[in-house]
Amino acid sequence: MAECVRLCDVGPSRRCRCRQPSGPSETAAVNSKPATDAGEEHVAAGAAALCGAGSGGSASPSPPPRCSLLGLPPELLVKIFASLPGTDLPSLAQVCTTFRRILHTDAIWRLRCQEEYGVCENLRNLEIMGVSWRDVYAKLLHPYRHILGLWQPDSGPYGGLLNVVVDGLFIIGWMYLPPHDPHVDDPMRFKPLFRIHLLERKSATVECMYGHRGPHLGHIQIVKKDEFSTKCNHTDHHRMSGGRQEEFRTWLREEWGWTLEDIFHEHMQELILMKFIYSQYDNCLTYRRIYLPPSHPDDLIRPGLFKGTYDIHGLEIVMLSFHGKHARATKITGDPNIPAGQQTVEINLMHRIQLPDIENLRNFNELSRIVLEVHEQVSQEQQRQKDRTEDSEGCSWQGPREPQQGPAQPRVGPPTEKVREPGAPALDGHPVQFVLPVGVISSNEDYPRTCRMCLYGTGLIADHGFASPKRIPGVFILFDEDHFGFIWLELKSFSLYSRVQVTFQNADAPSPQAFEEMLKDIQSLTS
């Protein structure tokens, strides 16, 4: 009976399936056996079978040598277990009591925290908090691993950029903000929205960081794959003693770097007030995952996030990505005219524009003539492509038609000419002088005075509320690896874009298809 309890923890009164000894001799034999764990016997038996198979299976008068992980020194088992993924260790603990006991070694979980999540914390800090590395992994990092990475909040047309990272013994959600207009080359600003941490071996605690009265309790719910929501449990912490007027003045200074006296345009006042109202809902938001665009050696420049100037709307964040013959700049933050998720600029990589000399470039009409010629050529190509598609889908076969020749393009490369051959260096041309034509408005006069390439593109414009959206022709100007610009021909306006110089973790798309689906999803939310 004692052996039965050791093997399965169940006696005959609880319907044990182990055969009970039938006589005094068997009882004595059972009682003389040493106490062993059932899992340990299973591990030892399996290892012995492997050793026997390795000898060629030949009969031998002597038993096969005992070969088992249980025979290894504990310190060696610690090293072996520490090299396994943390998600496999709970299953390993169920094998036997020896493995379970060894897996309580904190050095194993410390290495898993370091290798899987980059946590490098002083052991003394853990001792002060009264938690172990196993607690950190099992109660903090592993349960919230799905929210690490880049996210876009569902905050009306404005969007945003949230980066959730492991920071020491905390998981923190940082909201990234562009610098104050028009300083497009300044570094990004950021503020914490929430944090998650452990308190004395208990479950993880979520705290809202919004407002000016310190951290307070919040809640995070993982809605579904690639989507989670946050909620503040004490919204009174968001209020200020001076009421809404003090809150607005503080928000205006932090968000725009302005005072009330700086807002003199009536339309600007409306835009700012509307954005302030939306910002009051930061205490309860839903976030959807976004990925950084995949890169390819043939890309014109390295894709990624950029800060761009948008006239009275200030600086906004866009994502530059490449899609075959086109490149697109998608808004990550938006405004009431063009909301987040929309493709603000599309570049035709097949149509390079040869700018006139520096003196003629100052003439806006000359630049407009060149761009409109390309626009007409692109429109004809699109119409021919549409006709061919309709012909191929028709019920009756029609003979091939001679393609119509477009108007002469003295300043434009041939439509079938690619910017560069696949595998060629991304940028191999020499910079040429560049200046904005007279009459083109730019909020930032400190733009580069040399460019390396110009391409035909279109920009998206719309009325307030994304009403009557349309694409207008323009010029994409590639200045260098970290800067590009776009001239909105119809608006006589210029936008300058500067690369976001931040390294984001857990932000790569699992596949190009996943990235394309992500772009469609964020665009559909505001269409």
Side-chain angles (χ1 to χ4, degrees):
M1 179 59 194
E3 174 64 12
C4 173
V5 174
R6 283 195 293 268
L7 286 175
C8 57
D9 294 328
V10 179
S13 63
R14 300 178 65 182
R15 299 184 181 179
C16 170
R17 290 176 291 181
C18 297
R19 187 179 66 85
Q20 302 299 317
S22 57
S25 59
E26 290 190 14
T27 302
V30 168
N31 292 336
S32 64
K33 294 179 181 179
T36 57
D37 184 278
E40 295 175 4
E41 289 187 348
H42 176 73
V43 173
L50 289 174
C51 292
S55 62
S58 59
S60 173
S62 59
R66 188 176 181 85
C67 178
S68 171
L69 285 175
L70 296 172
L72 297 177
E75 57 271 17
L76 186 55
L77 289 177
V78 168
K79 290 183 177 294
I80 294 174
F81 293 169
S83 65
L84 300 175
T87 52
D88 293 342
L89 298 183
S91 299
L92 190 62
Q94 297 178 7
V95 172
C96 63
T97 56
T98 299
F99 286 4
R100 185 161 58 250
R101 183 174 60 252
I102 291 176
L103 284 171
H104 277 80
T105 305
D106 225 27
I108 296 175
W109 299 99
R110 180 178 186 177
L111 186 61
R112 297 321 319 142
C113 290
Q114 291 175 349
E115 292 190 353
E116 296 181 23
Y117 299 99
V119 179
C120 298
E121 193 67 21
N122 192 313
L123 188 60
R124 179 174 176 81
N125 293 340
L126 287 178
E127 294 175 350
I128 295 175
M129 297 173 60
V131 299
S132 65
W133 283 106
R134 187 179 181 215
D135 293 329
V136 173
Y137 189 96
K139 298 179 181 180
L140 176 65
L141 302 179
H142 185 69
Y144 290 97
R145 67 192 184 279
H146 296 301
I147 70 170
L148 299 178
L150 289 179
W151 304 83
Q152 186 182 52
D154 184 9
S155 56
Y158 299 103
L161 182 64
L162 178 77
N163 186 28
V164 183
V165 299
V166 177
D167 189 350
L169 298 176
F170 294 85
I171 292 178
I172 302 180
W174 295 99
M175 180 63 76
Y176 275 76
L177 307 170
H180 293 140
D181 189 36
H183 308 291
V184 69
D185 280 327
D186 284 359
M188 295 283 286
R189 299 175 294 132
F190 49 89
K191 63 178 182 181
L193 290 191
F194 63 84
R195 70 180 185 183
I196 314 169
H197 62 115
L198 292 178
L199 292 175
E200 298 179 355
R201 293 184 177 272
K202 297 180 181 179
S203 58
T205 300
V206 178
E207 293 179 331
C208 176
M209 305 290 287
Y210 189 83
H212 298 268
R213 296 171 61 181
H216 45 284
L217 286 180
H219 176 71
I220 287 180
Q221 180 182 2
I222 299 178
V223 181
K224 59 182 180 179
K225 186 178 182 295
D226 296 335
E227 184 176 322
F228 76 96
S229 62
T230 59
K231 182 180 180 180
C232 176
N233 295 344
H234 299 283
T235 55
D236 56 301
H237 281 64
H238 301 179
R239 306 280 74 88
M240 301 184 73
S241 58
R244 288 294 187 182
Q245 186 172 8
E246 182 185 0
E247 292 170 9
F248 179 68
R249 287 180 177 272
T250 302
W251 174 86
L252 184 63
R253 183 177 62 255
E254 295 177 350
E255 183 79 13
W256 295 82
W258 291 350
T259 64
L260 286 175
E261 291 71 22
D262 296 326
I263 311 174
F264 53 87
H265 194 284
E266 184 176 352
H267 183 50
M268 173 69 76
Q269 293 174 0
E270 295 177 359
L271 291 174
I272 291 178
L273 185 59
M274 182 183 300
K275 191 170 185 179
F276 170 72
I277 294 173
Y278 265 98
S279 71
Q280 301 307 295
Y281 296 96
D282 283 355
N283 59 303
C284 185
L285 286 175
T286 297
Y287 298 86
R288 294 175 178 87
R289 184 180 295 279
I290 59 175
Y291 298 115
L292 292 179
S295 60
H296 190 273
D298 288 340
D299 291 339
L300 195 63
I301 59 173
R302 179 165 55 90
L305 297 175
F306 288 78
K307 304 155 285 182
T309 56
Y310 281 87
D311 197 25
I312 61 175
H313 298 294
L315 297 188
E316 298 184 15
I317 304 173
V318 304
M319 177 184 291
L320 179 68
S321 57
F322 292 87
H323 311 263
K325 299 177 181 179
H326 296 84
R328 300 187 181 104
T330 303
K331 280 195 171 186
I332 302 302
T333 62
D335 53 66
N337 290 67
I338 306 298
Q342 296 299 315
Q343 294 174 6
T344 176
V345 172
E346 184 172 64
I347 306 105
N348 191 320
L349 301 176
M350 305 294 288
H351 287 273
R352 185 168 178 171
I353 292 180
Q354 185 68 40
L355 294 178
D357 58 71
I358 195 67
E359 291 302 322
N360 288 327
L361 181 58
R362 298 180 185 273
N363 186 339
F364 177 80
N365 292 332
E366 176 67 10
L367 177 64
S368 178
R369 182 186 68 82
I370 296 173
V371 176
L372 290 179
E373 285 179 355
V374 183
H375 179 69
E376 179 65 24
Q377 180 180 351
V378 172
S379 298
Q380 292 181 5
E381 291 175 359
Q382 292 174 345
Q383 184 61 44
R384 288 197 296 268
Q385 179 64 33
K386 181 180 179 181
D387 293 341
R388 285 194 294 267
T389 302
E390 292 177 351
D391 290 344
S392 64
E393 295 176 353
C395 298
S396 60
W397 181 86
Q398 299 180 1
R401 297 179 298 176
E402 290 294 327
Q404 300 178 1
Q405 297 296 325
Q409 305 295 328
R411 297 182 182 275
V412 184
T416 57
E417 178 187 356
K418 292 187 178 181
V419 174
R420 54 192 159 75
E421 294 299 324
L427 292 174
D428 51 7
H430 296 289
V432 297
Q433 283 186 305
F434 175 82
V435 64
L436 285 177
V438 176
V440 173
I441 302 172
S442 174
S443 61
N444 191 329
E445 294 297 331
D446 190 22
Y447 60 87
R449 291 307 193 268
T450 60
C451 70
R452 307 180 76 165
M453 188 179 295
C454 291
L455 296 164
Y456 168 78
T458 59
L460 182 62
I461 63 173
D463 295 332
H464 189 87
F466 198 41
S468 305
K470 67 175 182 178
R471 306 202 73 89
I472 61 174
V475 183
F476 170 85
I477 306 107
L478 180 60
F479 293 112
D480 53 47
E481 178 69 19
D482 297 325
H483 297 86
F484 67 88
F486 190 79
I487 297 177
W488 309 74
L489 207 61
E490 183 177 315
L491 303 179
K492 288 189 175 181
S493 177
F494 172 73
S495 293
L496 176 64
Y497 300 83
S498 176
R499 185 181 298 277
V500 174
Q501 302 288 356
V502 179
T503 301
F504 296 104
Q505 304 294 331
N506 303 296
D508 294 331
S511 66
Q513 293 76 18
F515 177 77
E516 295 289 346
E517 287 297 322
M518 180 272 297
L519 285 183
K520 292 179 182 178
D521 289 342
I522 64 175
Q523 184 177 12
S524 64
L525 294 174
T526 55
S527 295

